[in-house]
Amino acid sequence: MSITIPWQRGHGHHRALDRIAELREENVRLMNRQAAADDYFAILMQDRADMYTAWRDAVRRADLADDIATARLDAACEAVTRAEEAEQQAADMRAELLELRAYKATNTAVTVPPMVRDTSNGADQATAPIDVRPLWDALGIDSVRTTTSSTNPAHMQGVA
């Protein structure tokens, strides 16, 4: 067993040096903690700056995408308008063409009877009349039997 006598701890000078050494060690620990906090804060500030830069870039890309979409929509609307105008113009030209064809047919129609018309030109020779009679008359068939609405030979008229 040992007994510690309070006055044997050392003189006041040694106790002050021990306290200074403790304070210096604590100061080093605090300085290291401050340096670590400064490093961490710098990393946070850089992350914040990177986040704001990314956010601004995303906003710019979104605005650019909106501008491109608007430009494409405008171009599509303009193309549709041009196509509708072209269709209307084609319809107008078709109507005019039909009117001109009708006018030409009216003005170039042969209205002179064949006996009065000049046929000296070979392309303007008169044609023979076309025999337009029913087929059975043209081929000399005597009678044609008709049915009412049935295909059964027993229902034919004139068959006994």
Side-chain angles (χ1 to χ4, degrees):
M1 169 177 210
S2 70
I3 297 177
T4 308
I5 301 173
W7 60 81
Q8 288 184 343
R9 271 202 217 165
H11 299 74
H13 178 66
H14 287 290
R15 286 172 61 191
L17 290 177
D18 291 340
R19 182 69 181 147
I20 289 174
E22 288 174 10
L23 290 175
R24 282 187 178 150
E25 287 175 12
E26 185 180 352
N27 198 14
V28 168
R29 274 195 326 265
L30 290 174
M31 292 300 279
N32 287 338
R33 184 180 289 173
Q34 181 66 37
D38 288 344
D39 291 344
Y40 184 72
F41 188 71
I43 291 170
L44 285 177
M45 292 302 290
Q46 183 61 43
D47 286 348
R48 179 182 164 271
D50 291 345
M51 190 247 344
Y52 277 129
T53 302
W55 179 74
R56 276 190 236 103
D57 290 345
V59 167
R60 277 191 217 115
R61 280 193 304 272
D63 289 344
L64 182 61
D66 288 345
D67 292 345
I68 290 171
T70 302
R72 285 182 180 170
L73 182 62
D74 291 345
C77 289
E78 187 176 320
V80 167
T81 302
R82 282 196 313 263
E84 289 173 351
E85 289 173 357
E87 288 176 4
Q88 182 61 40
Q89 186 180 10
D92 293 345
M93 292 173 88
R94 244 183 257 116
E96 184 180 357
L97 175 65
L98 292 176
E99 288 177 16
L100 290 173
R101 283 183 179 172
Y103 178 76
K104 178 183 174 187
T106 301
N107 286 337
T108 60
V110 177
T111 56
V112 178
M115 71 275 308
V116 178
R117 183 170 85 191
D118 178 23
T119 57
S120 60
N121 186 355
D124 199 23
Q125 290 294 317
T127 58
I130 298 173
D131 187 14
V132 183
R133 294 183 292 164
L135 189 58
W136 53 84
D137 290 344
L139 296 177
I141 299 174
D142 291 347
S143 69
V144 175
R145 296 187 177 113
T146 60
T147 63
T148 52
S149 66
S150 173
T151 57
N152 187 349
H155 294 126
M156 294 181 72
Q157 296 174 354
V159 176

